[in-house]
Amino acid sequence: MTQNQTAQLKLGQTFPLTIKRLGINGEGVGYFKKQVVFVPGALPGEEVVVEATKVHPKFSEGKIKKVRKKSQHRVVPPCPVYDQCGGCQLQHLEYTQQLKEKRDIVIQSLERHSRLKVEDLNIKQTIGMDNPWSYRNKSSFQVGTQNGKVLAGLYGLNSHKLINIEQCAVQHPQTNAAVETVKQVLQDLQIPIYHEKTRKGIVRTIVARVGIQTGELQIVLITAKKELPKKALIIEKIKSRLPEVKSIIQNINGQKTSLIFGEETFNLDGSDFIQETLGDLQFELSARTFFQLNPEQTVKLYDEVKKAAALTGKEKVADAYCGVGTIGLWFADGASEIRGMDIIPESIQDAKKNAKRHGIKHAKYVTGKAEELLPKWVKEGWKPDVIIVDPPRTGLDRALIQTILTVKPKKVVYVSCNPSTLAKDIDVLSKKYKIEMIQPVDMFPQTSHVEVVTELKLK
């Protein structure tokens, strides 16, 4: 019998395992006869008995049957539905240790996806939160019914069972209270709730967003059809029970899709947007505007970007994937000119409005792809000294990496929400750039997500 045949785990087999580190999704990682095993809920240093739940040729997944030796950093999760909901992955790990593990997740990504010498890199300690709870300014909870009672929450891990969430531990208390109130209004008025399987009913999702600095609240009801029964009564009851509501919006999504928003949006009452501030900047947030979910940490993240860019007032800055312009506006006073681009036209309109509202005249925003606009600008004689990139989880477009290597700005500041794609991208950029520093920032405490600011200087 060969080694491979003996090492292959069988489904349902139980076996002992020592957990070596956390994986990128917050699961425990151990090795059984040289094969990697992922175990959700297990922590580094723990000795556990595991049952194999999935067996692949290259790796296996398992669930904890018993913890033989517990980590000293294991804590009791405060959330009653923590193990069912799947929104948080690390509530069972002490917060100071979460920060250390997130730095390790960045290191693992660099080891796995790049040829860089990790020991030579300046990887800083993760910047955390003073209070790592109640930080999210927006919740999008699906609505359902059970025994005639209206529920709102998230679908459980890998299931179509709706987990009713009354007090989400990472949501701002105002959004929690708002969802509970709207749920009660729908219940009292017996508004038909959408059913996923039969596709009958009206209300699908309740979205609540709060301006953490301003206290303003926005409620969005996402409905399967335009007709909303007892509309005037719904508005009246929400307003009387939630006096801080500044904006009540209806969005229509009749599609069979996991996307929350549909294309049509109507104002039911109040303003189209709520106000929020970040540092000295003010923003208007309409129902579909993207805005960072943790404003307190966003300020810390943007300050790190500003530090890395180290502008002196003379630099031309290109802000790729600029969104509504927040990062560029954050350090506009240090740049001689900012040019931002994004492929979403609404974001560019908002970026222009935001620049105008703050009296920033040296910022220009264009709809389009950075990899197409940059070479064009260089040909016209506008070459950036600094490029800021804040791409989606998929990382930088290949063509943009090539453009950066061709245009050769003196500095690139890379803001990443996915350490794996960051590692692949800076590996390619390191041909011409020296990696000055890597700074992890914890934007989502209690989850396995980690944001990273990387400063790259032209060699």
Side-chain angles (χ1 to χ4, degrees):
M1 204 181 229
T2 67
Q3 173 65 32
N4 274 358
Q5 284 169 299
T6 54
Q8 189 62 55
L9 281 165
K10 297 206 168 34
L11 209 57
Q13 182 179 339
T14 57
F15 54 97
L17 195 69
T18 300
I19 304 300
K20 299 292 186 196
R21 62 202 317 187
L22 271 193
I24 54 170
N25 301 311
E27 69 287 71
V29 180
Y31 296 88
F32 181 74
K33 297 188 177 168
K34 294 189 177 159
Q35 191 190 44
V36 66
V37 185
F38 297 110
V39 187
L43 295 174
E46 292 191 327
E47 289 168 16
V48 289
V49 178
V50 174
E51 181 186 325
T53 53
K54 274 187 188 165
V55 177
H56 300 271
K58 290 200 168 127
F59 66 93
S60 295
E61 290 173 28
K63 65 176 182 192
I64 300 175
K65 296 298 280 180
K66 190 176 167 196
V67 179
R68 281 187 176 158
K69 183 184 159 207
K70 205 162 84 162
S71 162
Q72 69 196 63
H73 305 294
R74 182 178 276 279
V75 291
V76 177
C79 172
V81 293
Y82 167 64
D83 54 341
Q84 301 163 51
C85 142
C88 298
Q89 300 81 40
L90 298 177
Q91 279 193 23
H92 62 298
L93 179 61
E94 196 176 79
Y95 187 59
T96 49
Q97 196 59 27
Q98 287 184 30
L99 299 177
K100 288 177 186 163
E101 295 296 350
K102 290 192 182 196
R103 180 176 180 269
D104 188 60
I105 285 172
V106 175
I107 291 169
Q108 284 183 63
S109 300
L110 289 160
E111 287 170 346
R112 193 174 303 143
H113 301 293
S114 82
R115 291 155 301 185
L116 299 163
K117 277 202 174 124
V118 175
E119 58 279 9
D120 296 345
L121 296 173
N122 174 15
I123 304 169
K124 304 195 165 185
Q125 298 302 323
T126 311
I127 295 173
M129 283 191 88
D130 299 333
N131 171 22
W133 302 99
S134 311
Y135 57 81
R136 285 178 67 103
N137 60 4
K138 180 181 174 185
S139 65
S140 309
F141 283 174
Q142 309 305 319
V143 190
T145 53
Q146 192 179 18
N147 308 328
K149 192 170 180 267
V150 177
L151 312 178
L154 300 172
Y155 286 109
L157 268 175
N158 312 320
S159 84
H160 270 276
K161 181 174 182 270
L162 189 65
I163 308 294
N164 190 44
I165 300 172
E166 290 180 8
Q167 286 296 321
C168 174
V170 294
Q171 281 293 345
H172 191 276
Q174 248 179 297
T175 64
N176 277 329
V179 173
E180 283 302 298
T181 302
V182 174
K183 210 159 72 172
Q184 199 54 55
V185 168
L186 298 175
Q187 175 94 44
D188 294 350
L189 297 175
Q190 307 228 302
I191 304 301
I193 301 300
Y194 182 78
H195 191 280
E196 218 195 5
K197 287 211 171 68
T198 62
R199 300 187 65 193
K200 290 190 166 64
I202 303 288
V203 180
R204 291 181 78 149
T205 310
I206 301 167
V207 178
R209 174 145 70 177
V210 63
I212 288 180
Q213 298 300 323
T214 60
E216 295 185 2
L217 183 67
Q218 181 177 61
I219 299 291
V220 186
L221 293 175
I222 297 181
T223 59
K225 302 185 186 76
K226 189 177 176 182
E227 297 72 44
L228 180 57
K230 305 183 188 170
K231 192 190 287 181
L233 265 174
I234 293 174
I235 296 166
E236 184 194 317
K237 291 226 181 293
I238 290 176
K239 282 169 72 178
S240 70
R241 294 181 196 181
L242 292 166
E244 69 272 34
V245 166
K246 284 278 183 293
S247 167
I248 305 175
I249 305 286
Q250 180 187 2
N251 173 273
I252 296 148
N253 185 354
Q255 303 298 311
K256 197 172 173 13
T257 171
S258 59
L259 293 174
I260 291 173
F261 282 93
E263 290 307 310
E264 282 186 284
T265 306
F266 299 94
N267 182 326
L268 297 181
D269 193 82
S271 170
D272 285 337
F273 50 80
I274 56 170
Q275 302 274 357
E276 180 57 306
T277 59
L278 274 185
D280 299 331
L281 303 175
Q282 277 86 41
F283 295 95
E284 291 179 349
L285 311 180
S286 58
R288 295 184 65 188
T289 303
F290 169 77
F291 194 72
Q292 294 280 5
L293 291 164
N294 184 345
E296 186 187 321
Q297 288 301 88
T298 301
V299 169
K300 293 181 190 174
L301 180 80
Y302 289 177
D303 279 345
E304 288 306 314
V305 175
K306 193 174 187 170
K307 225 188 282 178
L311 302 177
T312 63
K314 300 189 182 89
E315 290 83 2
K316 297 189 190 79
V317 179
D319 183 1
Y321 309 91
C322 68
V324 299
T326 35
I327 289 184
L329 297 176
W330 196 254
F331 49 65
D333 55 350
S336 70
E337 190 186 349
I338 293 171
R339 290 193 182 185
M341 67 291 269
D342 202 291
I343 53 170
I344 301 165
E346 293 84 359
S347 293
I348 291 298
Q349 286 163 14
D350 281 345
K352 286 177 178 172
K353 268 192 230 155
N354 287 331
K356 195 175 173 188
R357 184 179 314 118
H358 294 97
I360 293 164
K361 296 187 169 72
H362 58 296
K364 171 183 172 174
Y365 292 99
V366 186
T367 306
K369 293 181 174 176
E371 59 271 21
E372 288 165 13
L373 289 166
L374 279 173
K376 187 174 147 245
W377 290 344
V378 172
K379 259 190 201 142
E380 291 165 2
W382 192 87
K383 183 187 162 176
D385 302 294
V386 179
I387 292 185
I388 311 284
V389 290
D390 184 5
R393 291 193 66 75
T394 46
L396 295 180
D397 187 284
R398 291 297 112 200
L400 179 54
I401 291 183
Q402 286 316 312
T403 303
I404 292 171
L405 291 171
T406 310
V407 171
K408 296 206 266 287
K410 288 179 213 144
K411 191 175 267 192
V412 178
V413 181
Y414 189 143
V415 184
S416 164
C417 59
N418 182 348
S420 301
T421 49
L422 169 73
K424 290 173 192 168
D425 292 347
I426 63 176
D427 187 46
V428 183
L429 288 169
S430 69
K431 282 187 232 170
K432 291 189 180 167
Y433 285 86
K434 179 180 186 289
I435 297 154
E436 289 285 320
M437 70 92 201
I438 294 174
Q439 174 66 70
V441 181
D442 188 19
M443 296 288 282
F444 299 104
Q446 319 308 329
T447 77
S448 56
H449 294 289
V450 58
E451 307 269 323
V452 189
V453 177
T454 303
E455 179 190 341
L456 301 117
K457 244 186 195 157
L458 194 62
K459 284 177 182 170

